[in-house]
Amino acid sequence: MLSLTSPLIGHDPFFVHHRTPRFHFYSRRKTNFFRIRSSSGLQKSPSSKVGDLDSHLYTSLSFPSITASKRVVLVRHGQSTWNEEGRIQGSSDFSVLTHKGESQAETSRQMLIDDSFDVCFTSPLIRSKRTAEIIWGARKEEMIPEYGLREIDLYSFQGLLKQEGKSKFGNAYRQWQIDAANFNIDGHYPVRELWARARNCWDKILTHEGKSVLVVAHNAVNQALVATAIGLATEYFRILLQSNCGVTVLDFTPRSEGGSPYICLNRLNQTPNSPIAAGSFGGRKTSKRIILVCHGSTESNVEATFPLSGDRPMNMLGVIQSQKVAELLLDLKVNSIICSPQIASIETAIAISKVQEAADCLGADCVPRYVEMKHVRDLEVEHILHKLKKNASEFAHLHPGWLNGLEDRIMSELWGQSEKAWNSLLDELSEEAEQQQNVVVVGHPAVQIALIGHCLNLTKEWMGSFHLDAASISVIDFPDGPTGRGVIRCINYTAHLGRWSIPVTRPTVDDEEF
């Protein structure tokens, strides 16, 4: 790892292998990709019966009204004995935390140690309850076991080794792997049932008077909680990952007129382990990956101007942040860096390139790496944001959901331009012959949020449902290649920034009473 006491970017003789980066202006090819369309934007009739749940989410149902901002932190339990054995757990209660699982829970406890939670809701299952006890520590506040937070009910599958499930149930097990939303076992549709249960849990969580809520549960139910909160249907199962003891944060902001609150996914799956560690899905190794990097800070008063900052270089904080990003990515062989033509994005990209190309003398590889760097003009969105008619002071903080405040014409232009950038990225993944490919994309948080939306096949209305901080990292895996569906490994990961990071769960805006 590099020391921050070393000379910083642009003045560092240490990077002896660095060559002046050659930027290429990249134009998009017309490519026909298979895109999985989502039905999550459709609204079902309120008269539909919950018992007749299909693969669509009832997005027309509102959440309980709140009078003050509420932050909900989701944590998945640590590794269990059945996780270790590769056994299907479901809602069974026979496994306990392994030693590794206890250590993971301790890491999450340290992550959240400074937070003064008002309440903890926990699944009653042993592996989750023990994780909650470790994280909760000496806190005196209430812990509430909630049966609705138990893991997905998998009926006859529960207790089987994965190979046993495959040999015993054949086609049903195959459907569980590739079409979980329509998976049927013992007369039940487990994922549909789980979505309905998660939606009911939100009523209990949001009507509790606590403003800072910890929820400790399981992989599938946490996925369902995230998806139902932001209005995504059952086909998003296994698309928003929840690793053992990963931390996910959702912000709920009241509306002045009352009714269902604004909901924003502040971060997804901030894990005890590195977010760029090799991943697998259904036994398949991920070979293609896009890492979205927000450029470092550009102003001394970051909160006042970052969302609408023009073409400015990074300040010292931004330089430090970009160096920290580069250090984290040293463990990953980067094939190419694609960035916005804006100065701060270029500076961040150069920082990553320098560290990659110095990999041999940093002890990461025996040979230096050469990283191709490219500009993509469609990643440049600052000129769009500057068309805002509203006073920039209305965006005084880069608060969760700030994109909701943009005018529709601005949102449409940003969304349309980012779609071109997304198709260019898919082209980039398709053109390379290498089996393993890691593409780093550097830009403004607004365009990175839009790219996440395109990956999930959403519409521009969802952009306010995601939040990214300066120098954060979001990881998208493609287990089936660039023509398959992208899987979001993490969003807004900032642990690599150390003391310069925005705390994992601390609200960045003051509570406002209505």
Side-chain angles (χ1 to χ4, degrees):
M1 297 291 283
L2 297 177
S3 169
L4 287 174
T5 59
S6 301
L8 291 168
I9 300 166
H11 307 280
D12 194 351
F14 178 71
F15 296 104
V16 294
H17 293 287
H18 176 67
R19 294 179 288 274
T20 302
R22 293 172 292 180
F23 285 98
H24 305 277
F25 286 88
Y26 192 70
S27 60
R28 181 170 62 96
R29 291 188 299 104
K30 281 277 188 179
T31 305
N32 293 321
F33 289 104
F34 173 67
R35 299 291 298 277
I36 298 178
R37 297 299 302 173
S38 165
S39 57
S40 61
L42 302 176
Q43 292 193 351
K44 301 293 288 184
S45 168
S47 63
S48 300
K49 296 179 181 180
V50 175
D52 295 332
L53 279 172
D54 59 14
S55 64
H56 305 300
L57 176 68
Y58 294 95
T59 54
S60 59
L61 296 178
S62 62
F63 285 79
S65 176
I66 58 177
T67 58
S69 296
K70 184 185 290 277
R71 176 160 283 191
V72 179
V73 178
L74 308 178
V75 181
R76 180 188 173 189
H77 65 78
Q79 184 196 62
S80 70
T81 49
W82 281 20
N83 286 152
E84 190 176 38
E85 294 171 18
R87 198 173 290 277
I88 301 171
Q89 296 186 107
S91 57
S92 64
D93 201 15
F94 299 103
S95 65
V96 297
L97 293 188
T98 62
H99 177 71
K100 179 179 179 180
E102 298 253 349
S103 297
Q104 290 170 329
E106 174 59 26
T107 301
S108 292
R109 187 186 76 83
Q110 293 294 331
M111 229 188 263
L112 305 172
I113 197 167
D114 293 328
D115 287 270
S116 53
F117 292 107
D118 299 312
V119 64
C120 173
F121 287 88
T122 177
S123 160
L125 303 185
I126 294 170
R127 56 193 186 274
S128 178
K129 187 177 178 182
R130 176 57 184 151
T131 302
E133 290 170 349
I134 293 172
I135 295 174
W136 204 239
R139 290 181 177 92
K140 303 300 182 185
E141 291 77 16
E142 187 179 17
M143 291 182 68
I144 302 176
E146 171 52 53
Y147 187 60
L149 291 173
R150 71 190 184 277
E151 184 56 300
I152 184 172
D153 298 314
L154 289 176
Y155 306 100
S156 292
F157 271 19
Q158 293 181 177
L160 298 176
L161 292 169
K162 293 175 183 178
Q163 187 58 40
E164 292 174 340
K166 184 176 181 179
S167 61
K168 186 174 181 178
F169 288 93
N171 291 337
Y173 187 81
R174 178 64 175 160
Q175 187 178 38
W176 166 240
Q177 287 185 309
I178 65 173
D179 186 22
N182 297 308
F183 164 62
N184 181 294
I185 186 75
D186 297 337
H188 294 270
Y189 290 88
V191 176
R192 301 180 194 178
E193 293 176 351
L194 179 68
W195 249 241
R197 174 153 51 90
R199 179 59 188 79
N200 289 335
C201 283
W202 277 123
D203 288 344
K204 297 178 183 179
I205 293 168
L206 293 177
T207 53
H208 190 279
E209 60 184 11
K211 296 180 181 179
S212 182
V213 181
L214 176 66
V215 176
V216 183
H218 306 265
N219 180 11
V221 71
N222 281 8
Q223 290 185 50
L225 287 169
V226 172
T228 54
I230 60 178
L232 301 182
T234 51
E235 60 263 40
Y236 284 88
F237 183 61
R238 297 199 186 105
I239 297 300
L240 301 168
L241 294 193
Q242 297 288 298
S243 302
N244 286 122
C245 280
V247 173
T248 294
V249 181
L250 288 138
D251 285 310
F252 296 80
T253 306
R255 299 175 187 262
S256 57
E257 69 275 16
S260 189
Y262 295 107
I263 304 171
C264 180
L265 181 60
N266 183 281
R267 69 187 66 222
L268 176 81
N269 204 28
Q270 181 132 321
T271 59
N273 301 319
S274 170
I276 61 172
S280 63
F281 303 87
R284 297 163 296 154
K285 289 288 185 183
T286 299
S287 59
K288 304 284 187 180
R289 174 175 284 183
I290 291 176
I291 300 98
L292 303 177
V293 176
C294 291
H295 65 67
S297 301
T298 58
E299 293 288 334
S300 57
N301 184 2
V302 180
E303 291 183 340
T305 58
F306 186 69
L308 303 179
S309 59
D311 195 9
R312 299 187 177 100
M314 291 188 294
N315 61 8
M316 182 54 69
L317 174 60
V319 170
I320 293 172
Q321 289 172 331
S322 65
Q323 191 80 356
K324 287 293 187 181
V325 170
E327 292 175 22
L328 177 68
L329 296 180
L330 178 61
D331 293 330
L332 194 72
K333 183 180 179 181
V334 174
N335 298 85
S336 58
I337 303 174
I338 298 175
C339 72
S340 161
Q342 292 283 303
I343 294 173
S345 294
I346 292 173
E347 290 178 333
T348 302
I350 290 173
I352 297 168
S353 175
K354 282 184 174 182
V355 172
Q356 284 288 312
E357 295 190 7
D360 59 336
C361 58
L362 294 174
D365 290 327
C366 59
V367 294
R369 306 169 185 169
Y370 174 68
V371 182
E372 186 176 17
M373 301 176 68
K374 303 176 183 178
H375 284 163
V376 172
R377 292 193 183 278
D378 290 326
L379 289 172
E380 185 180 4
V381 297
E382 286 82 351
H383 67 285
I384 298 176
L385 297 177
H386 274 281
K387 295 178 182 178
L388 288 170
K389 292 180 180 178
K390 294 184 178 183
N391 191 305
S393 64
E394 295 188 34
F395 298 93
H397 298 276
L398 186 57
H399 59 80
W402 67 275
L403 284 169
N404 284 322
L406 302 188
E407 300 152 27
D408 184 69
R409 64 185 181 88
I410 302 296
M411 293 279 274
S412 296
E413 188 173 352
L414 193 160
W415 186 254
Q417 182 171 308
S418 63
E419 183 176 18
K420 297 176 184 177
W422 178 248
N423 288 333
S424 295
L425 296 177
L426 294 181
D427 284 355
E428 179 76 8
L429 285 182
S430 299
E431 289 175 348
E432 291 291 334
E434 289 190 45
Q435 186 69 22
Q436 293 288 331
Q437 189 182 10
N438 300 298
V439 175
V440 171
V441 182
V442 184
H444 188 282
V447 73
Q448 307 291 44
I449 287 171
L451 293 176
I452 291 171
H454 288 297
C455 174
L456 294 173
N457 220 17
L458 303 176
T459 62
K460 68 180 188 295
E461 288 75 21
W462 262 270
M463 283 196 288
S465 299
F466 301 92
H467 174 76
L468 295 176
D469 292 308
S472 66
I473 289 175
S474 303
V475 179
I476 304 172
D477 286 331
F478 292 86
D480 298 309
T483 59
R485 199 171 189 185
V487 175
I488 309 295
R489 177 165 290 276
C490 68
I491 294 174
N492 201 29
Y493 181 90
T494 61
H496 58 290
L497 301 177
R499 62 183 294 183
W500 294 277
S501 68
I502 292 177
V504 174
T505 61
R506 289 285 175 154
T508 56
V509 293
D510 295 332
D511 288 339
E512 188 174 356
E513 299 289 345
F514 289 96

